[in-house]
C-alpha cells in the first residue's frame, strides 16, 4: 500500500476518497451521448405521449364518472353486486391463469432450450405466430374447438369416447385453456431468456456430485429462473385483469369479467358515467396491484 493511500483515510472522509457508485439507470444514461441538458429533451416525447394518450383520457373519465345522471357513479358502481361479483371473478380468473401459464411456460421454455435446432425453430415459430395473431382470431379458434360438436367432440368420437355433444362451451372451464394459450408467450419469453443464461458449470457440478433432477431443479435451476417467472407472472396477471374477448366468447353470461360489465353499461344500459367509474376502479386496482408487486419483487428493474 502506498503512503498516500495509508494516510488519506485518516484525513478525508470515506465519501470524499471513493467515488459514489452509480445505479443502473444512471450508468445507462451516462452512455447516451450529449450533455445532461440535451439528454433531458429525450424525455419530452414519452412525456407528451403520457399526457395525451393516458392522463387526459383518465381526467375525462373521472369527470364523466363524477357528473353522471345520478351524481357520483363510483358509489353506485361499488354498490352493484354484479360489479363486485365480476371483480372477484376477474381477480380469481387472472390468478389461476397466471399460475397455469407460468407452469406451462416453464415446461415450454425448457423444451425449446433443450430441443434440437429444427424443433427449436418450429416451437419458436409457433410461439411467435401465436403472439402476432389477433386475440379475436385465437378465441374464435378455441370456440370452434370447444363447441358441443366441435373439434374435441370429433376427436373423442374417433375413439368412441363421446356419444353425445359436449357441454364445455360457455362454461368457466372453457375459458382457461384459451386464456393460457393467449398469455403463454408473455411467460415463455422471459423464462427462456433465464434458462439460456443458466450456468452450465453449476448444472454439471450438480450432476457430478450425484444430485438428482429434483434436487438440481430446486437448488440450481429454480433460484436462477425465479425472477423471470415472477416478472412474467406479474405481466400475465396484470394483462389478464383486462381480458374481454375470450371470456365473452367462451365463458358466457355466467362468467362476465369487469371488462364485459363495463361494455354492458356503456353500450346496452346507456350509462357512460357508470362505465367510466368502473373503468377508473379497474385501472386504479391494476396500478395498486402492480405497485405492490414491484415493491415485493422489483419487477420494473427486471423489465428494464
Amino acid at each position: 500500500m502506498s503512503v498516500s493511500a495509508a494516510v488519506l483515510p485518516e484525513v478525508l472522509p470515506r465519501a470524499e476518497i471513493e467515488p459514489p457508485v452509480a445505479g443502473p439507470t444512471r450508468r445507462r444514461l451516462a452512455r447516451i451521448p450529449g450533455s445532461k441538458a440535451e439528454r433531458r429533451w429525450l424525455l419530452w416525447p414519452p412525456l407528451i405521449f403520457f399526457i395525451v394518450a393516458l392522463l387526459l383520457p383518465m381526467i375525462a373519465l373521472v369527470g364523466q364518472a363524477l357528473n353522471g345522471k345520478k351524481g357520483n357513479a363510483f358509489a353506485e358502481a361499488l354498490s352493484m353486486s354484479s360489479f363486485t361479483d365480476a371483480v372477484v371473478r376477474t381477480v380469481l380468473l387472472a390468478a389461476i391463469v397466471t399460475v397455469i401459464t407460468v407452469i406451462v411456460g416453464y415446461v415450454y421454455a425448457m423444451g425449446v432450450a433443450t430441443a434440437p435446432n429444427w424443433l427449436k425453430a418450429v416451437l419458436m415459430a409457433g410461439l411467435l405466430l401465436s403472439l402476432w395473431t389477433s386475440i379475436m382470431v385465437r378465441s374464435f379458434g378455441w370456440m370452434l374447438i370447444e363447441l358441443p360438436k366441435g373439434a374435441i367432440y370429433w376427436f373423442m368420437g374417433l375413439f368412441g369416447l363421446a356419444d353425445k355433444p359436449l357441454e364445455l362451451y360457455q362454461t368457466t372451464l372453457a375459458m382457461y385453456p384459451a386464456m393460457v394459450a393467449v398469455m403463454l408467450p408473455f411467460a415463455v419469453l422471459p423464462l427462456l431468456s433465464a434458462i439460456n443464461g443458466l450456468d452450465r458449470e453449476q448444472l454439471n457440478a450438480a450432476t457430478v456430485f450425484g444430485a438428482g433432477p429434483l434436487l438440481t431443479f430446486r437448488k440450481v435451476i429454480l433460484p436462477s429462473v425465479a425472477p423471470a417467472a415472477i416478472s412474467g407472472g406479474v405481466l400475465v396477471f396484470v394483462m389478464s385483469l383486462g381480458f374481454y374477448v375470450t371470456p365473452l366468447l367462451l365463458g358466457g353470461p355466467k362468467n362476465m369479467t369487469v371488462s364485459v360489465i363495463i361494455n354492458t353499461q356503456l353500450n346496452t344500459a346507456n350509462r357512460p358515467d357508470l362505465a367510466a367509474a368502473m373503468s377508473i376502479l379497474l385501472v386504479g386496482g391494476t396500478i395498486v396491484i402492480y405497485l405492490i408487486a414491484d415493491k415485493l419483487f422489483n419487477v420494473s428493474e427486471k423489465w428494464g
Side-chain angles (χ1 to χ4, degrees):
M1 178 182 297
S2 65
V3 177
S4 58
V7 173
L8 278 174
E10 300 177 2
V11 178
L12 298 174
R14 186 179 183 83
E16 297 182 24
I17 300 172
E18 298 179 354
V21 178
T25 303
R26 189 180 295 274
R27 286 197 295 268
R28 284 195 294 268
L29 288 175
R31 298 193 195 106
I32 300 176
S35 64
K36 190 174 181 180
E38 290 172 342
R39 287 197 295 268
R40 285 177 179 170
W41 284 100
L42 297 175
L43 298 176
W44 281 104
L47 190 60
I48 292 173
F49 174 81
F50 172 77
I51 293 173
V52 173
L54 297 177
L55 184 59
L56 293 179
M58 291 296 291
I59 293 175
L61 282 176
V62 172
Q64 180 76 50
L66 294 176
N67 300 293
K69 296 177 181 178
K70 298 182 181 181
N72 187 351
F74 288 102
E76 185 180 354
L78 292 173
S79 65
M80 293 175 60
S81 60
S82 59
F83 176 69
T84 54
D85 291 345
V87 170
V88 174
R89 188 181 304 115
T90 302
V91 173
L92 183 62
L93 179 69
I96 294 174
V97 168
T98 300
V99 173
I100 297 175
T101 304
V102 171
I103 294 174
V104 176
Y106 172 76
V107 175
Y108 196 102
M110 283 296 290
V112 173
T114 57
N117 289 335
W118 68 269
L119 183 55
K120 183 181 298 185
V122 171
L123 292 174
M124 286 303 298
L127 187 74
L128 295 178
L129 185 64
S130 171
L131 181 63
W132 296 333
T133 306
S134 165
I135 294 178
M136 177 73 79
V137 173
R138 282 181 282 172
S139 298
F140 269 119
W142 278 97
M143 191 173 69
L144 295 176
I145 292 173
E146 297 176 350
L147 282 172
K149 292 188 177 181
I152 297 178
Y153 173 78
W154 170 80
F155 184 76
M156 294 177 66
L158 293 178
F159 301 95
L161 300 176
D163 55 354
K164 59 181 180 180
L166 302 177
E167 297 181 357
L168 178 62
Y169 178 57
Q170 291 206 331
T171 62
T172 303
L173 184 61
M175 296 187 296
Y176 290 113
M179 292 182 67
V180 170
V182 170
M183 286 291 146
L184 191 61
F186 301 103
V188 170
L189 294 178
L191 280 168
L192 182 60
S193 176
I195 291 172
N196 287 333
L198 283 174
D199 189 347
R200 306 296 176 185
E201 296 298 329
Q202 288 187 351
L203 296 175
N204 293 334
T207 304
V208 169
F209 284 102
L214 185 60
L215 185 59
T216 302
F217 171 77
R218 189 161 57 87
K219 293 293 186 181
V220 180
I221 299 177
L222 187 58
S224 300
V225 303
I230 292 172
S231 60
V234 171
L235 180 61
V236 170
F237 181 80
V238 170
M239 293 180 66
S240 297
L241 291 175
F243 247 109
Y244 172 72
V245 174
T246 307
L248 180 65
L249 291 178
L250 300 174
K254 294 182 179 179
N255 294 288
M256 289 196 295
T257 59
V258 175
S259 299
V260 178
I261 294 286
I262 292 172
N263 179 64
T264 303
Q265 294 299 325
L266 185 63
N267 294 319
T268 304
N270 194 24
R271 289 294 305 275
D273 56 328
L274 207 50
M278 292 177 178
S279 300
I280 293 294
L281 292 172
L282 176 61
V283 173
T286 303
I287 292 174
V288 170
I289 291 172
Y290 172 76
L291 292 177
I292 293 173
D294 189 42
K295 184 70 175 179
L296 293 175
F297 306 115
N298 295 324
V299 291
S300 59
E301 292 185 5
K302 297 178 179 66
W303 292 345

